[in-house]
Structures are given as structure tokens and as C-alpha cells.
Amino acid sequence: MLVIPIGAADMPVVMSLLNSYAGLSSAATGFVLHNNVLIIAGTLDGFSGFILSILMCRAMNRSITNVLFGGFGAVAGTDTGATGTMREVTLDDVANQVVFVPGYGMATAQAQHAARELGNLLEERGVSVKYAIHPVAGRMPGHMNVLLAEANVPYSSLYEMDQINPEMPQTDVAVVVGANDVVNPDARDNPKSPIAGMPIIEVDKAKSVIVLKRGKGKGFSGLENPLFFKPVTGMLYGDAKSTLTNLAQAVQKV
Ligand code: NAP
């Protein structure tokens, strides 16, 4: 009952918190049954889950009280008033200094190797390539780091949100690979947005933004993203893996 009204981007915190409650209830069961293993394992599970929930709240710039009692989910899916025309771009429009911003879509498409291959090709042509990591991109903490490490992206090319944001105005192209909520400028610009105050990767400050996604699907929070309607943004529709592979082929021909 407590978590029914909670939704949108707060859901991961709730999942981790419930996990923590499960641990604490195991510990309580351990006390009843006089079982030390249950007490120790339950306490470790409960407290690590609780610490993780707090860290996730910090990453999203929200207090745990707000998550639990703020009724966040009641407004999930609200029409945020984002309107206009989405600008579609073609493969020829993508060029020069690039920051990749991966999100959950990169994970579902398993596009990390394709991103790395495109990054390599660009670097061979003298382009500076960076990968911007938002703390809650994907569906678990460190999700993007794990995927990019699997694709052998060097650690030195990974940039935390706070490191990359000041560089955005000098970035020629920000390539958003299946990310949505973590690049939603409403979190910064619209105090009435359900995700107001959540830190974002400010791709809209780059000279050009290319968003790779399959269609007009919403992100985890269910909110429309005004980034997709900005003049600086181009939408490149398709599965992220095949789009990145096509982009790499286009770059090879240049
Ligand atoms: P997101 O907001 O969930 O958006 C993912 C986007 O990827 C969607 O808009 C979807 O659009 C696109 N997509 C899906 N499959 C794709 C594919 N095969 N190829 C290309 N695009 C694809 O992702 P995010 O920006 O990474 O944000 C993460 C969200 O999850 C946040 O709201 C965060 O709070 C939440 N969360 C995070 C954690 C964590 O710990 N990291 C845990 C649970 C939840 P289309 O459908 O149009 O393709």
C-alpha cells in the first residue's frame, strides 16, 4: 500500500528499499527462530539495501522522505506540455567531436560494442570521443560502466556527469544512445516537472544532439522529453545497435 503511489524515476529507489526491508524482515525472523545466520545475513542485506537506496536518492537529488511520501507517481505520465516537431536526421549529419551518452536503450539493444566501434573509427579520424555516464542511467547503479567496460572502452574515456557537463558547450555532437530521462532538460528547467531537480547530462547545450531511439517511446519515468523537440536535436530512429553499425559504415566511407 505504501508504494502504490510511487512511480516514475523514483521506482528504482523503492525497489532497492523493498529489497532492504526483505533483509530486515529476515533478520527479525532470525531473532524469533534464534537463528544467527538469518540475523547476520538479513542485517547485511537490509542495511546494504538501505545504503544503496540513500545513494540512489543522492544521485537523483531527492530526499528519501520525498520519494516515499511525495506522491511522485501520481503525476507520472502527465502531459508536460512538450510540443513541436521532432527533427529527423540522416546518417550524413553526424560528425566531429563527439560525446556518447548511453542509457537503458543501449543495454536493451546490446549496442555497447557498436558504440565502441564507432568511437574507435572517429578517434582514428582525429575526433575526440568521450562517454558520459549518468549515475542512474540504465536500470541499476553502474549499469553503463559495466556495459562499456565489457566493450573495452578505456576507463579514461568515461566521464562522470559533473565532469562532462562543463564540456557540453564545446561539444560538436552529443550522441544519445537509448537514453531519455537522464537527458531530460525539464528536470533542470521546469520546476513543476515530476523530475524537477534531478541532475541531468546537459546534452542540449552541445552544438548538435543526435538521439538514437526506436521511435517515440517514453523513458522509465513515462514523461515526454522536450529535448526531442529542440532545434538543436535530431532524431535518428531505429534499434541503437543497427543504427550505430550503419553510422560506423558511413564514417568508414568518409
Ligand atoms: P530511459 O529513460 O528508460 O529511456 C530509455 C530509452 O531507450 C527509451 O526512451 C527508449 O525509446 C529507448 N530504447 C529502448 N530500447 C531501445 C533500442 N533497442 N534501441 C534504441 N533505443 C531504445 O533510460 P535512461 O535515460 O537510461 O534513464 C534511466 C531511467 O531508469 C531513469 O528514470 C532512472 O531513474 C531509472 N532507473 C534507474 C536505475 C539505476 O539504478 N540506474 C534503476 C531502475 C530505474 P524507444 O522506445 O523510442 O526506443
Side-chain angles (χ1 to χ4, degrees):
M1 295 297 284
L2 184 74
V3 299
I4 284 172
I6 305 169
D10 281 350
M11 209 132 32
V13 180
V14 173
M15 286 189 276
S16 132
L17 200 64
L18 287 180
N19 217 344
S20 144
Y21 289 166
L24 293 179
S25 54
S26 303
T29 313
F31 280 111
V32 174
L33 300 179
H34 301 289
N35 184 322
N36 288 340
V37 177
L38 267 181
I39 295 173
I40 294 169
T43 309
L44 286 175
D45 181 17
F47 278 95
S48 53
F50 194 67
I51 291 167
L52 178 63
S53 310
I54 289 174
L55 291 178
M56 285 168 86
C57 278
R58 275 200 201 140
M60 292 162 62
N61 201 18
R62 295 180 56 77
S63 75
I64 198 137
T65 331
N66 211 320
V67 169
L68 287 175
F69 305 109
F72 196 116
V75 282
T78 303
D79 181 3
T80 55
T83 52
T85 317
M86 295 188 188
R87 179 173 69 95
E88 185 171 357
V89 295
T90 63
L91 298 176
D92 298 333
D93 295 316
V94 182
N96 287 331
Q97 185 189 317
V98 170
V99 172
F100 286 97
V101 184
Y104 176 64
M106 185 182 83
T108 53
Q110 284 294 296
Q112 61 273 24
H113 295 279
R116 169 64 174 150
E117 277 156 30
L118 177 60
N120 279 355
L121 286 170
L122 293 170
E123 276 173 344
E124 282 164 19
R125 283 157 179 77
V127 176
S128 154
V129 176
K130 295 176 177 174
Y131 298 80
I133 310 287
H134 190 284
V136 295
R139 289 292 181 271
M140 59 182 180
H143 200 172
M144 297 299 114
N145 301 66
V146 171
L147 293 178
L148 292 174
E150 179 198 316
N152 293 324
V153 173
Y155 188 70
S156 57
S157 300
L158 305 187
Y159 287 75
E160 301 281 335
M161 179 176 63
D162 294 339
Q163 290 175 300
I164 204 72
N165 275 344
E167 292 193 27
M168 276 303 167
Q170 293 88 48
T171 300
D172 292 302
V173 186
V175 183
V176 176
V177 186
N180 191 337
D181 294 343
V182 301
V183 291
N184 188 336
D186 248 7
R188 180 195 60 212
D189 301 335
N190 179 4
K192 291 189 182 143
S193 167
I195 56 169
M198 181 176 115
I200 54 159
I201 296 186
E202 298 179 314
V203 289
D204 57 327
K205 292 189 176 168
K207 291 173 194 159
S208 178
V209 186
I210 311 289
V211 177
L212 275 50
K213 66 203 294 289
R214 296 165 305 177
K216 296 183 178 162
K218 306 233 167 55
F220 186 84
S221 68
L223 300 169
E224 188 54 270
N225 190 338
L227 171 74
F228 305 154
F229 300 92
K230 292 200 174 209
V232 75
T233 308
M235 309 297 291
L236 191 47
Y237 294 123
D239 177 75
K241 187 174 177 181
S242 53
T243 307
L244 285 166
T245 309
N246 292 341
L247 279 172
Q249 283 166 0
V251 170
Q252 263 169 334
K253 287 184 197 148
V254 177

